[in-house]
C-alpha cells in the first residue's frame, strides 16, 4: 500500500504531464497540422502508462511503460522543435520516475545513455533549423540531472523506510520469541527444582528405610531375645534391654536428621555455609561433641543438586563418629575450586584396624557414586576415622562460535 506522500507525488506527476501536453496544443484551428494530433494521443498514452506503472509490481511492465514515456518525450522534441527546450521537462519527470522505480545500477547504465542520444538528435535538429541555444540547453539539461538525483534520493528514502519496517517486524518477532523462551525456561527451572526436591526426598525415604528400618528390625529381634532371657538369665536380659534402648535412640536420631533435612529442603533461602554451621552446631549441642568447620573457596559455586548429598554425608559421618568412635571432636573441611570439590571429615574417636562399612556408609558411597564422585575411608586403632570425598565440577567455556567444554 502506497503512502499518502507517494500518492500525492504521483498525482502531481500526472497533472504536470497533462499541463505540458496542453501547452503543445495549437491555440486556433488554423494552426493545426497532421502532427497536432500527436498531442492528444500522447496525453492518452501518458495516462494509461501512468496508471499501469503505479498499479503493477512487475519490473518488466514498468520498464515498458517508462520506455513508452521516454519515446513520447523524444517525439515531442523531434516533432515540435520550434517549442524550444520544453520537451526536456518531460525527460526530467520521466527521470524522476525511473530513478524511483528501478535499482540505481540498472538505470545508471541505460537511462543516461538513452537520454543523451535522444538529446543529441533533438539538439541537432534544432541546430539545423536555427533554433539551438547552448545556454537554454544547458539550463534544461541540469534540470533533468536534478530530477534524476531527486528520484534516486526518494528511492533511497523508500528503501530505508522499508528496511526499518522489516527490522521493526523482526524485532517484534524476536521479542515475542524471547518472551516465549523466557516463559519456557521458567517452566523448565520450576520442573527441575521440583524434580530435585522429589529426588532428594526419595533418597531420604530410602535412607530411612535402610537405616531406621534395619535398626527397628534389630530392635524387635533384641526384644524377643530379652523376653526369652528374662526368666533364664535376668542379667543378660537387662543387658539386651540396654542394647534395645540404644537402638531406639539411634533410630530416633536418624528420624530427626531426616526430618531436619526435609525442613531444609523447604527453606532453600539459607546459604549452604549457614546450613552447614547450623547442622554442626545442633549436632554438637545434642551429642555433646565439639565440631569444627574449615572452608576454602566459594561455597555458593557448589551446584544445588550436590548440596543435599553433602549434608547427608556430613550427618552420617557425625553420627558414626559419636556412635561408633565415641569421638570428642569432629572436623569438617570443604575445599572448592574451579575443577573439584573436596570434603574431608575427621574425628578423634577410637578408630578401627579394619573398616567394615555399615548401612550408613554404604548409602553414603551410593550417593557419592550417583554424582560421579569418589569416597575413601581411613582409620587406625586409636587414631580416629577419616572420610575423603571428592566431586568433579564441570567447567563450561563459551565463545561466539559455540560452547567449549
Amino acid at each position: 500500500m502506497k503512502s499518502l506522500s507517494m500518492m500525492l507525488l504521483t498525482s502531481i506527476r500526472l497533472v504536470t504531464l497533462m499541463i505540458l501536453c496542453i501547452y503543445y496544443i495549437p491555440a486556433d484551428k488554423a494552426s493545426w497540422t497532421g502532427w497536432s494530433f500527436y498531442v492528444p494521443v500522447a496525453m492518452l498514452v501518458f495516462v494509461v502508462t501512468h496508471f499501469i506503472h503505479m498499479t503493477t509490481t512487475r519490473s518488466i511492465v514498468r520498464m515498458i511503460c517508462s520506455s513508452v514515456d521516454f519515446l513520447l518525450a523524444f517525439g515531442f522534441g523531434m516533432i515540435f522543435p520550434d517549442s524550444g527546450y520544453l520537451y526536456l521537462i518531460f525527460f526530467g519527470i520521466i527521470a524522476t520516475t525511473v530513478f524511483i522505480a528501478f535499482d540505481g545500477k540498472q538505470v545508471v547504465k541505460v537511462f543516461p545513455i538513452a537520454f543523451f542520444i535522444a538529446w543529441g538528435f533533438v539538439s541537432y535538429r534544432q541546430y539545423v533549423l536555427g533554433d539551438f541555444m547552448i545556454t537554454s540547453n544547458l539550463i534544461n539539461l541540469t534540470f533533468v540531472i536534478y530530477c534524476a538525483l531527486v528520484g534516486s534520493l526518494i528511492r533511497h528514502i523508500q528503501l530505508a523506510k522499508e528496511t526499518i519496517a522489516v527490522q521493526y517486524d523482526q524485532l517484534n518477532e524476536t521479542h515475542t520469541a524471547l518472551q516465549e523462551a523466557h516463559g519456557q525456561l521458567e517452566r523448565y527451572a520450576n520442573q527441575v527444582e521440583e524434580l530435585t526436591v522429589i529426588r532428594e526426598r526419595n533418597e531420604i525415604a530410602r535412607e530411612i528405610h535402610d537405616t531406621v528400618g534395619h535398626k527397628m528390625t534389630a530392635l524387635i529381634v533384641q526384644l524377643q531375645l530379652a523376653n526369652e532371657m528374662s526368666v533364664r538369665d535376668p542379667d543378660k536380659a537387662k543387658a539386651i534391654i540396654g542394647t534395645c534402648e540404644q537402638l531406639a535412640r539411634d533410630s530416633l536420631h536418624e528420624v530427626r536428621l531426616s526430618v531436619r533435612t526435609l525442613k531444609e529442603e523447604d527453606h532453600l533461602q539459607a546459604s549452604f555455609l549457614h546450613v552447614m554451621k547450623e547442622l554442626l552446631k545442633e549436632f554438637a549441642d545434642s551429642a555433646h561433641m565439639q565440631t569444627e568447620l574449615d572452608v576454602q573457596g566459594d561455597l555458593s559455586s557448589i551446584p544445588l543438586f550436590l548440596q543435599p548429598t553433602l549434608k547427608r554425608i556430613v550427618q552420617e559421618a557425625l553420627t558414626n563418629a559419636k556412635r561408633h568412635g565415641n569421638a570428642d571432636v569432629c572436623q569438617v573441611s570443604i575445599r572448592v575450586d574451579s575443577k573439584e570439590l573436596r570434603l574431608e571429615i575427621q574425628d578423634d574417636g577410637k578408630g578401627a584396624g579394619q573398616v567394615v562399612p555399615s548401612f550408613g556408609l554404604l548409602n553414603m558411597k551410593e550417593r557419592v557414586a550417583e554424582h560421579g564422585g569418589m569416597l575413601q575411608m581411613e582409620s587406625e586403632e586409636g587414631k580416629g576415622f577419616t572420610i575423603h570425598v571428592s566431586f568433579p565440577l564441570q567447567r563450561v567455556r563459551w565463545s561466539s562460535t559455540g560452547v567449549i567444554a
Side-chain angles (χ1 to χ4, degrees), residues 39-96:
V39 178
V41 173
M43 292 176 67
L44 178 62
V45 175
F46 272 136
V47 171
V48 173
T49 58
H50 173 81
F51 283 103
I52 293 176
H53 196 289
M54 293 301 112
T55 56
T56 185
T57 57
R58 297 179 61 185
S59 180
I60 185 66
V61 176
R62 287 184 170 184
M63 280 188 183
I64 293 173
C65 292
S66 297
S67 300
V68 171
D69 291 344
F70 187 93
L71 292 175
L72 290 174
F74 176 66
F76 275 101
M78 293 295 290
I79 295 171
F80 306 103
D82 56 339
S83 297
Y85 307 98
L86 192 63
Y87 77 97
L88 288 174
I89 298 179
F90 283 108
F91 281 114
I93 297 173
I94 295 169
T96 303

Side-chain angles (χ1 to χ4, degrees), residues 107-214:
V107 296
V108 164
K109 295 178 181 179
V110 177
F111 181 82
I113 296 174
F115 168 73
F116 279 108
I117 292 174
W119 177 67
F121 274 106
V122 176
S123 297
Y124 177 74
R125 178 172 172 75
Q126 289 177 337
Y127 177 77
V128 171
L129 296 175
D131 294 327
F132 182 79
M133 292 182 63
I134 185 66
T135 305
S136 299
N137 238 317
L138 291 177
I139 291 174
N140 286 277
L141 178 63
T142 55
F143 172 74
V144 177
I145 296 173
Y146 172 78
C147 289
L149 293 175
V150 170
S152 178
L153 180 61
I154 293 174
R155 176 174 176 79
H156 280 86
I157 293 174
Q158 280 185 313
L159 292 176
K161 287 183 177 179
E162 292 174 2
T163 302
I164 291 173
V166 171
Q167 291 178 344
Y168 181 77
D169 291 339
Q170 291 176 346
L171 184 62
N172 282 336
E173 292 175 1
T174 303
H175 179 68
T176 303
L178 285 175
Q179 284 184 324
E180 293 177 357
H182 176 73
Q184 190 172 10
L185 285 175
E186 189 174 3
R187 290 192 295 271
Y188 286 162
N190 293 333
Q191 290 175 2
V192 169
E193 184 177 354
E194 291 175 3
L195 290 174
T196 302
V197 172
I198 292 172
R199 178 181 177 181
E200 179 59 24
R201 288 181 175 177
N202 288 339
E203 291 194 4
I204 292 173
R206 180 188 65 184
E207 190 159 337
I208 291 175
H209 177 269
D210 291 342
T211 57
V212 179
H214 167 73

Side-chain angles (χ1 to χ4, degrees), residues 17-31:
L17 287 174
M18 294 300 100
I19 292 174
L20 287 172
C21 290
I22 292 172
Y23 177 82
Y24 282 91
I25 297 177
D28 52 47
K29 293 182 178 180
S31 302

